[in-house]
Structures are given as C-alpha cells and as structure tokens.
C-alpha cells in the first residue's frame, strides 16, 4: 500500500438549498506527479435533509410514520440527469440520459448481494423495502416488542438507585415508581445530572419479564400503560425500559449523508490514471423533489423551501472525494475498456424495436410506470407499475445480433396466487456472472429486471434489437389496469464497451483518445 489520500473537491458553484437544480455542477481537480487518481476508490458525498409536514403545519420537521414519506431507493442517482468525466478536454466516460435508471441498475447488477446489504444499504441509500426507508428517517418510530439492534434497554432511575429503584402497577394501568426518573431519564454517568433520556409514549416497560406499552408519561414517578393487569403488581426491582436507540441506531434521523458513484464505466477502473487535469460534470434533475423521494400519499405536494406542502427535500452539500495515490506510472499507452450504459424507453407494445450501440455486450429489459420521473409515488429507481401489472409478464424474448434470448419463449405468471418468476430471476443473475445477487424478495420489491448477455464476434456490429413481451390477461399491456395512469414504458438498457487510450509521459497525461470499441 503506497501513500494515499482522499482529496476533497468542491463544486464550481453553490449547490445548497434552492441552488441545487440551477445548472451544471463541475468538479475540477489537478493531480501532480508522482501521484495518480484511482477512480474506483473515489466517490461523491451528498448531504440532504428530508422533512414532513405535521397536520396543519409547514414541512420543517422530521417525517412521521403516518406521513409515509421516505428517501427513494438509490435516491442520489435519482437527483441527476447525466454525468461526464473529461481529461485534456476529451470525454473519457459518460451517460447522457437515463442516469437514474442506470444508477439503480448498476447497484443491482454490479455489486452483488453482500454489497447491497452492507455498504450499499448503509452508505448509499439502497433499501428495497419502503417501510425500511420510512423507518430510517421517521421521528416517531417505536421500539419492537422484542429487543433488537435498533432498540436499547435502560433504567431511568435517580443516581445511586440502579439496584433498588422499584415500580408497582395498579389494575387501572397506572405505574408508580420509587426512585425513578421517568421524565428526566438516567443521570449522567459522571455528573449525576439528568440525561434527558426520558420515556416516550410507545416505549415498552418490562416488569417481571412481561411487556407493557407506555401510553402516558405524567411525572418522574408516574406513567400509564395500555395493558391493565388483572391483579395488581407489587413493587419490584425487576423492571426496565425498551426504547428506540436514539443515539447509535440508523433510524429516526432525517439529515443524512449518502456516498455515491455515477453509473459510468470509469468509476469501475481500479488502476491509477496519470497526473493531469480532470473535470467531472453532473447535471441535476430539475424534478429531484419528485424523483428522490417516495411517498404513499396520493395527494402529495412537494416543497422546495420546506415551508409549504406535505414534504420537502433540501440538498445541503455535494462534494467529490478523489482518491489520490502515490505511484510510478511508466511512459506508456493505457487501454481502458469501460462498460457504459445506453438507456432508452418506449411506450409498451408487444413488439418494440430499439437502435443500440454496435458495441453492446449485454441488454437489460424492465417495465416502469409512465409517471416515474414525475411522481414520488413511483421513483425513477423503482422498475414497477403502480397497479403491479409489471408482475403479470407472461413471455419475453429479446432478439439481437442473430440471437434470441431466451431461446424458448416460455411462460411465467405472478398473479392470483401464482409465484412463477423464479426462473427469470435465476436466469437474470446467472447471466450477470457476479458473486451473489439481490434476494428474490428484493428483486420483486424493486421491480423485475431481465438481463441477457450477447457476447459475439468482433465482426458482428448489429445495432437493432427487437423486444417481444406479452402479459397475462392484459391485451393492452401493463399499466392499463385499475388505478393506472396509462401505458407503462419498456426500457432497453444497452451495456456497451467504450475504449479509451491514455498516453502518459513522465507520469503525466499527454494525450487522450476515446472511442467505442
């Protein structure tokens, strides 16, 4: 391991608050010899705050569970439209449309199950289940009935009475404490002063191994529980409180950082690039309030200032951290083979034709609600249809470069008790050749994707792909059922190869030539 550092790069303009969507963001940095930039270890860090609106009030508080508003899955990817990396004024790697869909797809296909459940979830806001994302920021999450990692146990008692503080429960549900501090909390370990870690409604009082839900907190020595005992419980020292971990559990916090790498090939390059000038460009999505948030509220009103509406999302900062490593780069021509995304979509029809890059190596197909990108009811990173008709896929066949996949147009179903998409899930991740994959449940939660490899000879440069799909009991296609807003869109994502030649002399980049290959 050589000397390395993460170099912080600020954007060329203000990006906080209302400034976020106002034009292109540029992150320019220089690397001097004998140092090199390692793209795969570099990342963006985005700070954001999500607000919900209490009844009759402005959206300036953390969301509550009742409001049902949360960050979207892969939320940061939904905040941008396109991304470019340039050196010596030559474009090295880019995506010019469909960045939100590509970012979500990149997380699902590129990293594998272990990453999605660890770094992808903890640092990059990849959580398939809406309820998990809701609990991540909701301010009023109550503890589970059983002690878990997101809960903690404690005894709010007066200093010096940890062992002998008692509680008694009357048959009317009133709890009387002796030497307790129900409204003040446990004293500070050093000073003895109240810690303000007080009991809240919804916390769980455990007495003699029986659980009771707190519904009212009156004084330091008096609370009320929901479950009234048939026989009064005499004063006992065998008691404690289960509550939400308010300090160390990742829940109930609406101000978050997310780490993110754009879905372009260069950020998968693990070797060093020579010293020189680099420029990264991100174009914010002007509708980020509708794409980076998911809600179950059909009457949603998004707010940019947090003073009105049913929810608000405020971007606090965007910074780039370039991983700079000291290394010796010989005079040479580096050949970078980068895999890029080309994202296209069309309204559903049983037979669709797309024109794609002749350097395509694989194709991913999915179906998405027509409102995606313009409604937080279906964020851009969710590949589903609001009436769930995407699950009714009967057949799919993709024809490209003289090949058809799957070779047999077999039928599937996921409707009225049928669960017959496992083969498509298995085939998709069998084609990806990654170690592990998202679970079948997560695949369904985010919306099914259908991935096909099309490796072929260098002389075959086909550009036309045919996508044939049918849906059970939906002659008009998905998105035409009850509660829908029109035809769904079929997405065709081409994974194509781009070759970049970088000439280095004396450790510095002197020439860059980029072309598809």
């Amino acid at each position: 391991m050589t000397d390395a550092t993460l170099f912080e790069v600020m954007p060329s303009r203000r990006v906080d608050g209302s400034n976020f969507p106002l034009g292109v963001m540029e992150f320019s940095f220089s690397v001097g010899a004998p140092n090199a930039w390692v793209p795969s270890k570099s990342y963006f860090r985005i700070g954001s705050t999500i607000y919900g609106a209490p009844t009759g009030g402005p959206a300036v508080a953390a969301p509550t569970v009742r409001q049902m508003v949360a960050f979207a899955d892969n939320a940061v990817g939904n905040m941008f439209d396109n991304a470019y990396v340039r050196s010596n004024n030559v474009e090295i790697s880019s995506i010019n449309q469909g960045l939100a869909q590509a970012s979500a797809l990149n997380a699902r296909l590129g990293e594998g199950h272990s990453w999605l459940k660890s770094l992808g979830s903890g640092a990059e806001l990849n959580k398939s289940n809406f309820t998990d994302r809701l609990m991540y920021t909701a301010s009023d999450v109550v503890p589970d009935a059983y002690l878990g990692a997101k809960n903690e146990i404690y005894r709010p008692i007066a200093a010096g009475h940890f062992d002998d503080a008692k509680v008694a429960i009357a048959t009317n549900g009133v709890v009387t404490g002796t030497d307790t501090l129900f409204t003040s909390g446990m004293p500070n370990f050093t000073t003895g002063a109240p810690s303000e870690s007080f009991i809240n409604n919804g916390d769980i009082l455990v007495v003699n191994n029986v659980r009771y839900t707190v519904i009212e907190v009156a004084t330091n020595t008096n609370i009320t529980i929901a479950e009234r005992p048939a026989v009064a419980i005499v004063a006992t020292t065998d008691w404690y409180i289960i509550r939400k971990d308010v300090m160390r559990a990742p829940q109930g916090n609406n101000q978050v950082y997310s780490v993110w790498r754009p879905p372009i090939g260069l950020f998968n390059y693990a070797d060093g690039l020579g010293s020189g000038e680099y420029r990264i460009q991100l174009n914010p999505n002007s509708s980020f309030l509708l794409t980076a948030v998911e809600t179950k509220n059909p009457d949603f009103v998004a707010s940019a200032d947090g003073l009105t509406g049913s929810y608000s999302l405020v971007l606090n900062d965007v910074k780039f951290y370039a991983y700079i490593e000291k290394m010796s780069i010989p005079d040479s021509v580096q050949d970078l083979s980068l895999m890029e995304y080309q994202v296209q979509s069309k309204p559903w029809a049983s037979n669709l034709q797309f024109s794609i890059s002749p350097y395509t190596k694989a194709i991913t197909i999915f179906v998405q609600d027509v409102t995606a990108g313009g409604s937080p009811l279906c964020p851009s990173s969710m590949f589903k249809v609001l009436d769930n008709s995407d699950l009714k896929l009967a057949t799919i066949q993709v024809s490209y470069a003289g090949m058809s996949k799957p070779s047999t147009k077999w039928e599937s179903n996921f409707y009225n008790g049928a669960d017959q998409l496992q083969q498509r899930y298995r085939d998709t991740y069998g084609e990806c050749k990654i170690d592990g994959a998202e679970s079948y449940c997560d695949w369904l939660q985010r919306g099914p994707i259908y991935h096909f490899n099309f490796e072929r000879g260098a002389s075959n440069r086909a550009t036309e792909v045919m996508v044939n799909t049918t849906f059970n009991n939906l002659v008009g296609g998905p998105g035409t059922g009850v509660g829908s807003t029109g035809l769904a869109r079929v997405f065709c994502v081409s994974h194509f190869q781009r070759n970049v030649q970088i000439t280095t002399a004396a450790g510095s980049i002197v020439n860059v030539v980029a072309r598809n290959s």
Side-chain angles (χ1 to χ4, degrees), residues 11 25 77 131 135 145 234 249 283 306 345 361 424 440 462 465 489 516:
M25 299 178 189
T131 302
M135 299 304 179
V234 299
N283 189 16
S345 69
K361 303 295 184 182
R424 300 203 186 279
Y440 180 57
V465 57
R489 297 189 69 84
N516 294 331

Side-chain angles (χ1 to χ4, degrees), residues 476-493:
T480 57
V482 176
S484 69
T485 53
L487 283 176
R489 297 189 69 84
V490 176
F491 277 75
C492 176
V493 181

Side-chain angles (χ1 to χ4, degrees), residues 49-53 59-63 67 69 254-255 306 310-314:
T49 306
I50 189 169
Y51 297 104
V60 293
Q67 292 160 4
V69 59
N254 65 322
Q255 302 176 55
S310 53
Y311 75 84
S312 179
L313 176 64
V314 176

Side-chain angles (χ1 to χ4, degrees), residues 346-352 367-368 370 385 387 389-390 392-394 469-482 484-490:
K346 292 182 178 182
W348 180 87
S350 184
N351 290 285
L352 291 172
V367 178
Q368 191 172 61
V370 70
V385 182
D387 65 1
S389 54
D390 56 296
K392 297 182 182 181
L393 180 80
T469 56
T470 61
F471 288 77
N472 287 302
N473 302 315
L474 292 174
V475 178
T480 57
V482 176
S484 69
T485 53
L487 283 176
R489 297 189 69 84
V490 176

